[in-house]
Amino acid sequence: MDFDKVVCSCLNITNGMIKDAVEAGATTLEEVQEKTGAGTVCGVCLDDVQHLVEQFVAECGK
Ligand code: FES
């Protein structure tokens, strides 16, 4: 995965920033939104952010 790829272009949130939020304890889309703001502007990226959260949560074994 390219961790520098921007997933939320409204706020320039990258894959890596979503991963960091999960590693910092976020386990749901809502918690990642609170930590990063991803998906809180136009909402187009929500599906992508949700998939990333699920993937990183699975990888973290939480
Ligand atoms: S691209 Fe993420 S809120 Fe607009």
Side-chain angles (χ1 to χ4, degrees), residues 30-62:
E30 288 74 20
E31 286 171 359
V32 168
Q33 285 181 293
E34 272 174 34
K35 284 183 190 293
T36 66
T40 60
V41 184
C42 75
V44 236
C45 62
L46 277 176
D47 279 356
D48 291 341
V49 174
Q50 171 84 64
H51 285 137
L52 286 170
V53 171
E54 286 169 5
Q55 181 180 336
F56 292 136
V57 167
E59 285 174 5
C60 282
K62 287 182 187 151

Side-chain angles (χ1 to χ4, degrees), residues 2-3 6-7 12 17 25-26 28 33-35 38 43 45-46 52 58:
D2 179 359
F3 290 113
V6 171
V7 57
N12 274 324
M17 289 162 77
T28 62
Q33 285 181 293
E34 272 174 34
K35 284 183 190 293
C45 62
L46 277 176
L52 286 170

